[in-house]
Amino acid sequence: MQPDSYLDLAQVTLYVFWIFFACLIFYLRREDKREGYPLESTGINGGVSYGFPRMPDSKTYLLRDGHTATLPNHKNDRPDVALAPIAVWPGAPAEPTGNPMLDGVGPGSYANREDVPELTMENIPCIVPLRVAEGTYLESRDPDPRGMRVNGADSEPGGIVTDVWVDRAEALIRYLEVEVPIIGGVKRVLLPVPFAKIDGRRRRVWVDAILGSQFAEVPTTKSPDQVTKLEEDRIVGYYGAGTLYATPARQEPLL
């Protein structure tokens, strides 16, 4: 070192921090590509797009129930979605080609999650109706929706609330169970609470997402007392799709 030279420790520390921060951004950017990549390119040549940096190598995680999950993978992908571009140019909007209420498109889109129930730390189903959730009850000062009539966006009746499904891990109401009259009998469907407005004074549940007649087509669960992750997404997706596709007028401009 020259006699008149010196080492600026603060400056060296700053350079080391910049290098560390750049490496951290690079690492995090690669890791977030374990889900949702590669992208489908809408360019002229089509194909897939990896972007920069490239996707990380596969990594296997050991889950708490003993089975493993390897990422990235494409198990959540839904092939052959019922959509088609409305024009030939790259990036053109897509429109449904089937039944948009049931096809999981637009605001009703979802990923193919596992067809098993969400579990609590005690390895029991997390979301269940009150009739099987021992020790769980509704707060007496809140309106009890059981027995209330459910009306759709057109004010037509959709069904009657028969039970309340609760999240035992979070102590929250997740769904209302609604008995819907259909030809030849009745069916029970789930109504996500965020889509419901409970009017305790008038003993009504109002749903703006779908019409009264459309409750009959809500996807159902295989088990009367359990709902799987995949079923949850399909049910929520149905109501989400209704916000745009329940009536033709909802797809038109507001002005």
Side-chain angles (χ1 to χ4, degrees), residues 176-215:
L176 302 179
E177 183 180 285
V178 181
E179 187 175 81
V180 181
I182 58 175
I183 298 176
V186 296
K187 66 181 287 189
R188 294 194 173 187
V189 302
L190 295 182
L191 166 61
V193 167
F195 286 99
K197 180 180 179 181
I198 300 174
D199 186 344
R201 185 177 62 84
R202 300 176 61 184
R203 300 286 300 166
R204 290 284 186 277
V205 177
W206 303 95
V207 179
D208 188 57
I210 63 175
L211 307 180
S213 61
Q214 292 171 333
F215 278 92

Side-chain angles (χ1 to χ4, degrees), residues 119-183:
L119 301 179
T120 67
M121 292 297 292
E122 294 77 26
N123 284 329
I124 57 176
C126 186
I127 301 175
V128 295
L130 275 179
R131 58 179 175 270
V132 300
E134 296 182 4
T136 305
Y137 55 89
L138 298 179
E139 166 59 47
S140 59
R141 291 169 293 182
D142 291 335
D144 187 342
R146 288 172 288 190
M148 291 186 183
R149 195 174 80 183
V150 181
N151 284 14
D154 53 355
S155 298
E156 293 297 319
I160 301 294
V161 178
T162 56
D163 208 342
V164 176
W165 287 48
V166 295
D167 184 332
R168 292 192 279 200
E170 302 290 342
L172 289 173
I173 298 176
R174 293 293 187 192
Y175 300 96
L176 302 179
E177 183 180 285
V178 181
E179 187 175 81
V180 181
I182 58 175
I183 298 176

Side-chain angles (χ1 to χ4, degrees), residues 21-39 49-59 61 71-73:
F21 198 66
C23 292
L24 178 63
I25 293 174
F26 182 83
Y27 170 76
L28 294 177
R29 190 69 187 93
R30 273 172 55 94
E31 287 301 304
D32 74 19
K33 290 188 172 183
R34 292 192 184 278
E35 294 279 0
Y37 280 85
L39 303 176
S49 174
Y50 297 93
F52 177 82
R54 299 282 292 186
M55 293 174 58
D57 295 331
S58 297
K59 186 175 181 179
Y61 298 87
L71 296 175
N73 64 48

Side-chain angles (χ1 to χ4, degrees), residues 88-131:
V88 296
W89 60 77
E95 64 178 358
T97 57
N99 182 347
M101 294 291 291
L102 294 170
D103 288 342
V105 298
S109 300
Y110 58 85
N112 277 336
R113 293 203 294 164
E114 291 181 300
D115 197 18
V116 296
E118 195 84 53
L119 301 179
T120 67
M121 292 297 292
E122 294 77 26
N123 284 329
I124 57 176
C126 186
I127 301 175
V128 295
L130 275 179
R131 58 179 175 270

